[in-house]
Amino acid sequence: MGLTSSKVLVVAVTLAVALFVATVWLWPRLARRGWRAYAGRVGLLLVTQVALFAAVGLAANRSFLFYGSWADLFGQEQEMGVVVDHADGSKDVRVVGTQALDVPGGGHPATGGQIQKVVVAGERSGIVSPAYVYLPPEYFQERYAKRTFPASVVLTGYPGTAENLIKGLRYPKTAYLQAKEGRMQPMILVMLRPTVAPPRDTECVDVPGGPQTETFFAQDLPKAVSETYRVGTKPRNWGFMGNSTGAYCALKIALHHPDRFAAGAGFSAYYRAAEDVTTGDLFHGDDRLRKRADLLWSLDHLPQGRTSFLVTTSKQGEDNRRGTLEFIKKVKSPARVSSITLDSGGHNFNTWNREIPPGMVWMGGKLSAT
């Protein structure tokens, strides 16, 4: 039974209720003196509290998808499936499975599009990472057979999984619906987590002597995808978006690489690389690298290209409001910046699901298929 399955939640709730009833029922028998009675009372209270907390935690996780699996919860890397090699396409992208969207006609790619599970091997960085690629219905239709499509890299937060982008944040379904309703052009999505060297949070930094995460996202990933799918190689063909840690990465990669990405959207972004027990030593004493990982410093001290940015915050509930206002103030021509400010919204899936649809329409308007 999966961590987010209904069966696990039902079992946890049933167990919690049963233990509560058992505590009430057995309490009179344990209301005596002696170590056995004391141990019984402590034991019942302890297991009942643990069961209640577990039920509440599972319910919250099922709603917000903080963790997508047991392996994700315990910090274990998930094993990949059997790799299927294809004759066409790049050797750096291998398709290992496909799945349909939960939309009308989703079983037919030309009607509902398709999600492909892939493994991407970074040519320069040496990083190998699983990912999901959403291909819109038009990609499979005969009249678009010779057309290229714009693409956007989509990152989840840390320590989330790429599955969260499909299940909890519903990026593919949102892209499908927005294009179907004529609000945006069809767009390919390349979805993955920023944790390409699990369990370490590299903050999308090229770590000296360590994982070259920025190189993977800025150079290897677009190149591999463009060689495999009908996506152009010019900056106007590519965007980058994400939430939380993924938002910081999206803004940073777009800011530092305007020659590769025309737009970057950060939902609930922070603006300076985290440095804690999950990241380890990212900069190895190199103050230049540390400053470069500060987006506000970069805006002040590095050239700004023709990149468009979208940042989001809320008047109540988010702690990034001050940093977001500073980011907006520091963006100068030829760069452009837009923003979404909610009256209220926390750092969670509910907030991001209110920002992603308009954010995706914004992204579609900044990119070109040709």
Side-chain angles (χ1 to χ4, degrees), residues 155-174:
L155 294 188
T156 187
Y158 177 86
T161 63
E163 289 85 351
N164 290 347
L165 299 169
I166 300 172
K167 298 177 182 178
L169 295 176
R170 303 189 292 273
Y171 273 96
K173 189 171 184 178
T174 300

Side-chain angles (χ1 to χ4, degrees), residues 68-355:
S69 66
W70 294 108
D72 185 27
L73 176 64
F74 294 111
Q76 300 170 342
E77 185 178 3
Q78 294 181 338
E79 293 293 331
M80 295 303 303
V82 177
V83 173
V84 179
D85 292 321
H86 294 257
D88 297 328
S90 166
K91 62 181 176 60
D92 296 328
V93 176
R94 295 170 291 176
V95 179
V96 298
T98 61
Q99 64 186 75
L101 271 71
D102 181 21
V103 297
H108 303 282
T111 303
Q114 186 181 75
I115 298 172
Q116 296 186 351
K117 189 174 185 178
V118 303
V119 177
V120 182
E123 181 179 337
R124 295 191 179 187
S125 65
I127 290 173
V128 178
S129 176
Y132 290 91
V133 176
Y134 162 69
L135 301 172
E138 291 81 0
Y139 192 87
F140 301 95
Q141 296 171 7
E142 186 175 353
R143 58 178 173 159
Y144 294 99
K146 296 183 179 180
R147 175 181 167 176
T148 58
F149 292 80
S152 181
V153 178
V154 185
L155 294 188
T156 187
Y158 177 86
T161 63
E163 289 85 351
N164 290 347
L165 299 169
I166 300 172
K167 298 177 182 178
L169 295 176
R170 303 189 292 273
Y171 273 96
K173 189 171 184 178
T174 300
Y176 167 86
L177 291 175
Q178 299 288 19
K180 184 177 178 62
E181 294 169 4
R183 296 192 180 97
M184 61 172 278
Q185 61 181 318
M187 183 166 56
I188 292 173
L189 303 178
V190 185
M191 301 168 285
L192 63 171
R193 59 180 181 173
T195 318
V196 293
R200 187 178 187 182
D201 175 14
T202 61
E203 295 288 297
C204 296
V205 167
D206 277 352
V207 181
Q212 301 296 288
T213 313
E214 183 171 345
T215 296
F216 175 78
F217 284 123
Q219 300 182 43
D220 291 341
L221 185 60
K223 179 177 182 294
V225 171
S226 292
E227 290 177 352
T228 305
Y229 301 98
R230 299 199 305 276
V231 180
T233 59
K234 297 180 174 62
R236 63 176 180 265
N237 307 136
W238 281 92
F240 212 127
M241 67 179 84
N243 62 279
S244 191
T245 301
Y248 164 75
C249 289
L251 296 176
K252 181 173 71 174
I253 299 296
L255 174 60
H256 290 167
H257 301 275
D259 58 326
R260 296 182 181 274
F261 295 92
F267 306 112
S268 299
Y270 50 88
Y271 301 96
R272 180 183 299 171
E275 293 183 74
D276 53 33
V277 67
T278 66
T279 66
D281 187 357
L282 292 177
F283 308 108
H284 292 258
D286 190 328
D287 190 54
R288 180 187 62 84
L289 293 179
R290 179 176 282 104
K291 288 179 178 178
R292 184 176 179 274
D294 183 333
L295 305 191
L296 302 181
W297 183 92
S298 293
L299 287 171
D300 282 337
H301 295 88
L302 300 179
Q304 297 186 33
R306 294 183 172 276
T307 307
S308 296
F309 300 101
L310 173 66
V311 290
T312 75
T313 187
S314 62
K315 296 178 182 177
Q316 293 183 334
E318 286 276 24
D319 62 3
N320 75 333
R321 182 163 170 75
R322 178 178 295 181
T324 298
L325 293 176
E326 288 187 38
F327 185 93
I328 293 171
K329 183 179 179 180
K330 291 176 182 292
V331 173
K332 305 297 181 184
S333 181
R336 296 288 185 269
V337 64
S338 305
S339 66
I340 296 174
T341 302
L342 302 178
D343 288 334
S344 177
H347 200 80
N348 55 51
F349 278 39
N350 181 59
T351 296
W352 300 327
N353 278 321
R354 295 157 62 196
E355 298 167 342

